[in-house]
Amino acid sequence: MTLRFIQKNASSKAMIILFLLLLSIVANGAVWNTSVYKVEFTSYLHTDLDNVERAIKRQVNHTFGPSTVFKRAGQNSSFSHNFEYEVLKITKIDNSFRRVDYRYKGNLVAENGLDLNNFKTYAPIYVRGAFNKSNGRCASSLDLVDFYFSWHPKFKKCNLIEDHDYLKIKLDTYKKVDDSKPHYTKEFLNDGKYNLFYYFGADKFSLKRSKMGFALTNYKDLVRFYKRRKGFYKDFDVKEKKIIFNKEKTHSFYTKFIGHIDGIETNVYIMAGNPTESTPIAKYEFFKFFKYAFKKGSAISYSGHAGLGSILDFDAHEQEYGEKIDYSAVNKQLLLLSGCGTFLHSSGFFFDKRRKKDSLVLITNGLFIFINSNKKSSYVIADTFRRKTFFTNRDLQKKFMAMIKASNPNMIKYPMPAVESN
């Protein structure tokens, strides 16, 4: 999905996502913990694509809707787009179509109310065929590009037929991923310092104050947090700013603070902007900010729209700007991606970039979320390194959910966070 398409249809998509969210608002502010599992299942599909991997990933993506739409709180789940697969058999159907039988081996994030022994979800056998036949009656969106997260065969007037248009998927095996391994805070030091990076993306794809929304509010809150509560002070390092952005002034809101966390010198970089092509200069600043963060960061937080994965697709940004990102920071990194569906779209990308064992701790969202749920999620980072020698993935999951609850427990949908490490 292109960013231009996203921007052009922002209002309609916001209504779609709001509709989906309202289907499973958390009753009475209950907080559902989540877990990550290694799972396997077997499936098949029909495709006219030459690229079998693309066809398999497309079908796996289309399990997202039935795994979240119409689900009660505590019953949601999501497969990751990052997985291994084994092609079991390819059978020719006619001159253009083939049947592909395959086995999926990957991760599933699930709320703890879900019984995985009786797990089931659905997937179209031939995606475009199911979309065309549904004729808008099986999804809350009329767009093919949105079909994967908005469809469900149990919509009242849906005319799709099981084992003809879609199939049921059950787990062959599942095993909970160990979330008790300690991550020692000293592993995240870069040259003996903590370098913390925070980016807040605009609510309405604009740098106008009236359209920045929670991004600007959260930016200001975090500035006050470090300045007043933590005793940090502003750093006007023009030389470093030119290294990051190739200029002294930015169109996006940007500030840097210096202070100490538990006696350790800490640099804090905070930016609020719009990472889409509706503001090209700010989009490039977003890229430069993260390029520097991936090289120097101890912890990196992104809060904002995910653009169905496109905003956090740094391979595409590298190609656009003709610049390479160096992901080989010698220190361990904590990466928080608080945007819609980042577990599905982005978890595989960043683990692929940080292949070195025990080099990345990643927090992603398994669901679409209200923007205001990001209000306090970024506070997880500062709190994680404060007065601790180590933390676990389970600690992060609980802390993240506590911060989400503190944002607005009566209105938001909890985002089903997945905490993973390599």
Side-chain angles (χ1 to χ4, degrees):
M1 187 176 191
T2 64
L3 294 178
R4 180 170 297 164
F5 185 87
I6 293 169
Q7 295 155 19
K8 182 178 179 181
N9 295 275
S11 296
S12 60
K13 294 189 188 306
M15 293 301 296
I16 292 167
I17 292 172
L18 179 60
F19 170 75
L20 293 172
L21 293 173
L22 291 174
L23 291 175
S24 49
I25 287 291
V26 178
N28 300 319
V31 178
W32 287 97
N33 288 324
T34 59
S35 298
V36 178
Y37 300 85
K38 292 287 185 184
V39 302
E40 296 184 16
F41 66 79
T42 52
S43 183
Y44 72 91
L45 58 86
H46 294 172
T47 184
D48 54 355
L49 297 175
D50 293 329
N51 189 327
V52 171
E53 179 177 0
R54 184 180 176 189
I56 293 174
K57 288 195 170 185
R58 178 180 290 180
Q59 185 183 66
V60 171
N61 284 356
H62 279 76
T63 64
F64 186 86
S67 298
T68 57
V69 175
F70 298 138
K71 295 293 183 179
R72 299 190 307 274
Q75 301 293 315
N76 293 284
S77 64
S78 172
F79 291 110
S80 171
H81 188 72
N82 178 44
F83 58 87
E84 298 177 1
Y85 68 90
E86 177 187 359
V87 174
L88 303 176
K89 184 171 60 175
I90 297 180
T91 307
K92 185 176 180 179
I93 299 175
D94 56 31
N95 290 333
S96 59
F97 279 86
R98 296 174 295 166
R99 169 175 167 148
V100 179
D101 290 77
Y102 68 93
R103 187 171 186 83
Y104 171 103
K105 298 179 181 180
N107 284 2
L108 174 81
V109 61
E111 293 177 325
N112 289 352
L114 185 64
D115 178 9
L116 294 186
N117 289 315
N118 296 303
F119 174 91
K120 68 177 180 179
T121 189
Y122 305 99
I125 296 174
Y126 172 50
V127 172
R128 185 176 291 275
F131 170 77
N132 289 339
K133 182 178 178 179
S134 70
N135 196 27
R137 290 172 293 198
C138 303
S140 57
S141 172
L142 300 180
D143 295 326
L144 176 61
V145 73
D146 298 335
F147 192 61
Y148 79 96
F149 71 78
S150 63
W151 86 286
H152 197 294
K154 303 305 179 182
F155 271 93
K156 187 174 181 179
K157 296 183 179 181
C158 184
N159 57 347
L160 300 181
I161 302 171
E162 187 172 341
D163 295 329
H164 183 270
D165 304 302
Y166 70 92
L167 51 84
K168 187 182 298 181
I169 290 180
K170 297 183 178 181
L171 300 180
D172 295 331
T173 64
Y174 70 89
K175 182 180 180 180
K176 185 179 177 181
V177 174
D178 182 17
D179 56 10
S180 63
K181 175 185 174 181
H183 306 290
Y184 293 92
T185 53
K186 64 182 181 181
E187 298 177 286
F188 296 83
L189 296 174
N190 188 301
D191 290 332
K193 304 175 183 178
Y194 290 132
N195 296 319
L196 312 181
F197 290 81
Y198 300 86
Y199 187 95
F200 299 98
D203 291 13
K204 297 181 180 179
F205 309 107
S206 171
L207 289 182
K208 294 181 179 179
R209 289 178 178 268
S210 61
K211 294 187 177 182
M212 288 288 289
F214 282 98
L216 188 55
T217 300
N218 297 343
Y219 170 87
K220 291 178 178 179
D221 284 347
L222 197 63
V223 166
R224 285 192 292 268
F225 173 79
Y226 278 105
K227 185 177 181 180
R228 297 178 183 177
R229 294 178 57 186
K230 296 298 180 184
F232 281 60
Y233 61 90
K234 278 191 177 183
D235 177 58
F236 299 93
D237 189 339
V238 176
K239 183 179 179 180
E240 184 183 37
K241 196 172 183 180
K242 290 181 71 174
I243 291 173
I244 301 173
F245 302 106
N246 295 334
K247 57 186 179 182
E248 296 182 13
K249 294 184 178 181
T250 61
H251 283 65
S252 307
F253 296 88
Y254 170 80
T255 189
K256 178 190 174 184
F257 286 91
I258 294 179
H260 291 82
I261 293 179
D262 292 346
I264 297 175
E265 185 174 339
T266 303
N267 298 308
V268 178
Y269 306 80
I270 310 174
M271 174 168 271
N274 175 46
T276 73
E277 61 185 20
S278 64
T279 55
I281 296 176
K283 181 185 176 184
Y284 185 51
E285 291 171 351
F286 159 81
F287 172 78
K288 298 292 283 188
F289 184 82
F290 275 88
K291 181 180 179 181
Y292 193 71
F294 288 132
K295 181 63 177 176
K296 299 288 186 179
S298 302
I300 307 164
S301 171
Y302 174 82
S303 299
H305 294 292
L308 304 184
S310 61
I311 289 176
L312 297 171
D313 183 356
F314 287 96
D315 280 353
H317 300 326
E318 284 182 333
Q319 185 175 2
E320 178 179 356
Y321 299 120
E323 299 181 31
K324 296 294 292 182
I325 294 174
D326 185 355
Y327 294 93
S328 60
V330 294
N331 56 290
K332 199 169 183 176
Q333 290 184 327
L334 170 61
L335 180 56
L336 167 61
L337 303 177
S338 191
C340 290
T342 50
F343 175 76
L344 173 68
H345 294 296
S346 302
S347 61
F349 179 90
F350 291 101
F351 280 117
D352 187 58
K353 299 302 181 184
R354 296 280 292 184
R355 288 183 178 274
K356 182 181 176 182
K357 185 67 176 175
D358 200 27
S359 64
L360 177 64
V361 182
L362 179 63
I363 307 173
T364 53
N365 287 337
L367 295 174
F368 289 100
I369 60 171
F370 284 117
I371 292 174
N372 65 344
S373 69
N374 283 325
K375 183 177 180 180
K376 294 186 180 295
S377 62
S378 57
Y379 285 69
V380 169
I381 288 178
D383 198 50
T384 294
F385 292 107
R386 185 167 54 93
R387 295 195 300 273
K388 293 178 179 65
T389 57
F390 71 90
F391 57 90
T392 67
N393 289 4
R394 175 53 51 182
D395 293 333
L396 288 176
Q397 193 274 341
K398 290 181 178 179
K399 193 180 301 296
F400 185 81
M401 291 299 279
M403 293 297 178
I404 293 295
K405 184 177 181 181
S407 295
N408 194 345
N410 294 321
M411 291 297 294
I412 68 169
K413 177 174 182 186
Y414 290 87
M416 193 168 64
V419 184
E420 305 170 277
S421 51
N422 59 5

Short mmCIF file of all heavy atoms in Angstrom, two decimals, residues 123-136 138 144 147 151 158-160 165-166:
data_model
loop_
_atom_site.label_atom_id
_atom_site.label_comp_id
_atom_site.label_asym_id
_atom_site.label_seq_id
_atom_site.Cartn_x
_atom_site.Cartn_y
_atom_site.Cartn_z
N ALA A 123 -8.59 -18.56 6.29
CA ALA A 123 -7.78 -17.92 5.24
C ALA A 123 -8.42 -18.16 3.89
O ALA A 123 -8.94 -19.26 3.63
CB ALA A 123 -6.36 -18.49 5.26
N PRO A 124 -8.40 -17.16 3.00
CA PRO A 124 -8.93 -17.38 1.65
C PRO A 124 -8.06 -18.39 0.91
O PRO A 124 -6.83 -18.38 1.05
CB PRO A 124 -8.82 -16.00 1.00
CG PRO A 124 -8.60 -15.04 2.11
CD PRO A 124 -7.90 -15.79 3.19
N ILE A 125 -8.69 -19.24 0.13
CA ILE A 125 -7.92 -20.19 -0.69
C ILE A 125 -7.26 -19.44 -1.84
O ILE A 125 -6.07 -19.64 -2.12
CB ILE A 125 -8.83 -21.31 -1.20
CG1 ILE A 125 -9.35 -22.13 -0.01
CG2 ILE A 125 -8.09 -22.21 -2.19
CD1 ILE A 125 -10.38 -23.18 -0.38
N TYR A 126 -8.00 -18.59 -2.49
CA TYR A 126 -7.47 -17.70 -3.53
C TYR A 126 -7.92 -16.30 -3.16
O TYR A 126 -9.11 -15.98 -3.23
CB TYR A 126 -7.98 -18.10 -4.91
CG TYR A 126 -7.62 -17.12 -6.02
CD1 TYR A 126 -6.32 -16.68 -6.19
CD2 TYR A 126 -8.60 -16.66 -6.90
CE1 TYR A 126 -5.99 -15.78 -7.20
CE2 TYR A 126 -8.28 -15.77 -7.92
CZ TYR A 126 -6.98 -15.33 -8.07
OH TYR A 126 -6.66 -14.44 -9.07
N VAL A 127 -6.99 -15.46 -2.74
CA VAL A 127 -7.33 -14.18 -2.12
C VAL A 127 -8.17 -13.30 -3.03
O VAL A 127 -9.25 -12.82 -2.63
CB VAL A 127 -6.04 -13.42 -1.70
CG1 VAL A 127 -6.40 -12.01 -1.25
CG2 VAL A 127 -5.32 -14.18 -0.59
N ARG A 128 -7.72 -13.06 -4.23
CA ARG A 128 -8.47 -12.16 -5.11
C ARG A 128 -9.84 -12.74 -5.44
O ARG A 128 -10.83 -12.02 -5.52
CB ARG A 128 -7.69 -11.88 -6.40
CG ARG A 128 -8.37 -10.86 -7.30
CD ARG A 128 -7.50 -10.54 -8.51
NE ARG A 128 -6.33 -9.79 -8.14
CZ ARG A 128 -6.30 -8.47 -7.99
NH1 ARG A 128 -7.40 -7.75 -8.16
NH2 ARG A 128 -5.18 -7.85 -7.67
N GLY A 129 -9.92 -14.05 -5.60
CA GLY A 129 -11.20 -14.68 -5.89
C GLY A 129 -12.18 -14.51 -4.75
O GLY A 129 -13.36 -14.22 -4.96
N ALA A 130 -11.69 -14.68 -3.51
CA ALA A 130 -12.57 -14.51 -2.35
C ALA A 130 -13.02 -13.07 -2.22
O ALA A 130 -14.19 -12.80 -1.92
CB ALA A 130 -11.84 -14.95 -1.09
N PHE A 131 -12.10 -12.15 -2.48
CA PHE A 131 -12.45 -10.73 -2.40
C PHE A 131 -13.51 -10.38 -3.44
O PHE A 131 -14.50 -9.71 -3.13
CB PHE A 131 -11.20 -9.87 -2.60
CG PHE A 131 -11.50 -8.41 -2.78
CD1 PHE A 131 -11.82 -7.61 -1.70
CD2 PHE A 131 -11.47 -7.83 -4.05
CE1 PHE A 131 -12.10 -6.26 -1.86
CE2 PHE A 131 -11.75 -6.48 -4.23
CZ PHE A 131 -12.07 -5.70 -3.13
N ASN A 132 -13.31 -10.81 -4.68
CA ASN A 132 -14.26 -10.49 -5.75
C ASN A 132 -15.64 -11.10 -5.46
O ASN A 132 -16.67 -10.45 -5.66
CB ASN A 132 -13.73 -11.00 -7.08
CG ASN A 132 -12.54 -10.19 -7.58
OD1 ASN A 132 -12.33 -9.04 -7.16
ND2 ASN A 132 -11.73 -10.79 -8.45
N LYS A 133 -15.65 -12.33 -4.99
CA LYS A 133 -16.93 -12.99 -4.73
C LYS A 133 -17.67 -12.36 -3.56
O LYS A 133 -18.90 -12.27 -3.56
CB LYS A 133 -16.71 -14.48 -4.46
CG LYS A 133 -18.01 -15.26 -4.24
CD LYS A 133 -17.75 -16.74 -4.02
CE LYS A 133 -19.06 -17.48 -3.75
NZ LYS A 133 -18.85 -18.94 -3.54
N SER A 134 -16.91 -11.89 -2.57
CA SER A 134 -17.55 -11.30 -1.38
C SER A 134 -18.33 -10.04 -1.73
O SER A 134 -19.31 -9.71 -1.06
CB SER A 134 -16.50 -10.99 -0.32
OG SER A 134 -15.67 -9.90 -0.72
N ASN A 135 -17.88 -9.32 -2.75
CA ASN A 135 -18.61 -8.14 -3.23
C ASN A 135 -18.96 -7.17 -2.11
O ASN A 135 -20.06 -6.63 -2.04
CB ASN A 135 -19.87 -8.58 -3.98
CG ASN A 135 -20.46 -7.47 -4.83
OD1 ASN A 135 -19.73 -6.58 -5.28
ND2 ASN A 135 -21.76 -7.51 -5.05
N GLY A 136 -18.01 -6.99 -1.18
CA GLY A 136 -18.21 -6.03 -0.09
C GLY A 136 -19.05 -6.53 1.06
O GLY A 136 -19.31 -5.78 2.00
N CYS A 138 -18.33 -9.26 3.01
CA CYS A 138 -17.58 -10.08 3.97
C CYS A 138 -16.50 -9.28 4.70
O CYS A 138 -15.66 -9.84 5.40
CB CYS A 138 -16.91 -11.26 3.27
SG CYS A 138 -18.06 -12.33 2.38
N LEU A 144 -9.39 -4.04 -1.85
CA LEU A 144 -8.63 -5.29 -1.81
C LEU A 144 -7.44 -5.17 -0.87
O LEU A 144 -7.12 -6.12 -0.13
CB LEU A 144 -8.15 -5.66 -3.22
CG LEU A 144 -7.25 -6.90 -3.32
CD1 LEU A 144 -7.98 -8.15 -2.81
CD2 LEU A 144 -6.77 -7.10 -4.76
N PHE A 147 -8.48 -5.82 2.64
CA PHE A 147 -9.28 -7.03 2.86
C PHE A 147 -8.68 -7.90 3.95
O PHE A 147 -9.40 -8.51 4.74
CB PHE A 147 -9.39 -7.81 1.54
CG PHE A 147 -10.41 -8.92 1.55
CD1 PHE A 147 -11.75 -8.66 1.76
CD2 PHE A 147 -10.01 -10.23 1.32
CE1 PHE A 147 -12.69 -9.69 1.75
CE2 PHE A 147 -10.93 -11.27 1.32
CZ PHE A 147 -12.27 -11.00 1.53
N TRP A 151 -11.74 -8.54 6.82
CA TRP A 151 -12.70 -9.55 6.39
C TRP A 151 -12.93 -10.61 7.47
O TRP A 151 -12.12 -10.81 8.36
CB TRP A 151 -12.23 -10.23 5.10
CG TRP A 151 -11.28 -11.39 5.33
CD1 TRP A 151 -9.97 -11.32 5.71
CD2 TRP A 151 -11.59 -12.78 5.20
NE1 TRP A 151 -9.45 -12.58 5.83
CE2 TRP A 151 -10.41 -13.49 5.52
CE3 TRP A 151 -12.73 -13.49 4.85
CZ2 TRP A 151 -10.35 -14.89 5.50
CZ3 TRP A 151 -12.68 -14.88 4.83
CH2 TRP A 151 -11.49 -15.57 5.14
N CYS A 158 -22.24 -12.59 4.31
CA CYS A 158 -21.09 -13.11 3.56
C CYS A 158 -21.47 -14.40 2.83
O CYS A 158 -22.07 -15.31 3.41
CB CYS A 158 -19.91 -13.37 4.50
SG CYS A 158 -18.41 -13.91 3.64
N ASN A 159 -21.13 -14.47 1.56
CA ASN A 159 -21.52 -15.61 0.73
C ASN A 159 -20.35 -16.56 0.44
O ASN A 159 -20.46 -17.42 -0.44
CB ASN A 159 -22.10 -15.10 -0.60
CG ASN A 159 -21.12 -14.21 -1.35
OD1 ASN A 159 -20.12 -13.76 -0.80
ND2 ASN A 159 -21.41 -13.93 -2.61
N LEU A 160 -19.26 -16.41 1.16
CA LEU A 160 -18.12 -17.30 0.94
C LEU A 160 -18.37 -18.65 1.59
O LEU A 160 -18.97 -18.75 2.67
CB LEU A 160 -16.84 -16.68 1.53
CG LEU A 160 -16.42 -15.32 0.94
CD1 LEU A 160 -15.12 -14.84 1.59
CD2 LEU A 160 -16.25 -15.42 -0.58
N ASP A 165 -14.14 -21.37 -0.93
CA ASP A 165 -13.57 -20.03 -1.02
C ASP A 165 -12.54 -19.76 0.08
O ASP A 165 -11.63 -18.96 -0.10
CB ASP A 165 -14.66 -18.97 -0.93
CG ASP A 165 -15.73 -19.17 -1.98
OD1 ASP A 165 -15.38 -19.16 -3.17
OD2 ASP A 165 -16.90 -19.35 -1.61
N TYR A 166 -12.72 -20.39 1.21
CA TYR A 166 -11.78 -20.21 2.31
C TYR A 166 -11.65 -21.52 3.07
O TYR A 166 -12.46 -22.44 2.90
CB TYR A 166 -12.25 -19.10 3.26
CG TYR A 166 -13.48 -19.43 4.07
CD1 TYR A 166 -13.38 -20.00 5.34
CD2 TYR A 166 -14.76 -19.19 3.56
CE1 TYR A 166 -14.51 -20.30 6.08
CE2 TYR A 166 -15.90 -19.50 4.29
CZ TYR A 166 -15.77 -20.05 5.55
OH TYR A 166 -16.88 -20.36 6.29
#
